[in-house]
Amino acid sequence: VQVGSVDSHAGTYSLLLDDDTDGDFYSHASAILALDLSGQSQVDLSFWWRDFDDENHADDGVFISHDYGQTWFQVVSFNGGSDTFTQATVDLDAQAGVAG
């Protein structure tokens, strides 16, 4: 996980979740943003992302949790993404309702 000034969509910085591995194994990289949104409404998460032609994996994406990380619910998949930047917007109110 790296915060750097290479390959940003706009502005100066970007977050890179990647690795350089050989062999038949997967690694996991994550960034966790802890927010208490109780009492809030009409909350959206919007960001730009792009794929670096890596393999598809079920754990590639954006997930939310309602129980402090005990369980996770995927709201955006990064599988099959474009190598050009794509904007994603997540209606967190709606997704939190689906996730319970």
Side-chain angles (χ1 to χ4, degrees):
V1 177
Q2 299 176 24
V3 174
S5 58
V6 177
D7 293 324
S8 61
H9 172 262
T12 304
Y13 295 101
S14 63
L15 178 67
L16 177 65
L17 302 172
D18 195 16
D19 67 5
D20 185 11
T21 60
D22 293 323
D24 293 329
F25 58 91
Y26 295 101
S27 64
H28 290 257
S30 63
I32 298 174
L33 176 62
L35 299 172
D36 180 359
L37 298 176
S38 57
Q40 303 299 313
S41 62
Q42 299 179 339
V43 178
D44 292 335
L45 171 67
S46 182
F47 58 95
W48 291 84
W49 71 279
R50 71 181 184 115
D51 194 276
F52 286 93
D53 297 322
D54 66 340
E55 77 289 334
N56 289 327
H57 194 275
D59 290 341
D60 292 346
V62 175
F63 296 78
I64 61 173
S65 175
H66 68 285
D67 55 8
Y68 301 100
Q70 296 297 311
T71 56
W72 294 93
F73 179 80
Q74 188 174 40
V75 296
V76 175
S77 172
F78 290 155
N79 290 321
S82 172
D83 62 353
T84 60
F85 281 101
T86 302
Q87 185 175 22
T89 300
V90 180
D91 180 340
L92 290 177
D93 299 300
Q95 293 299 327
V98 172

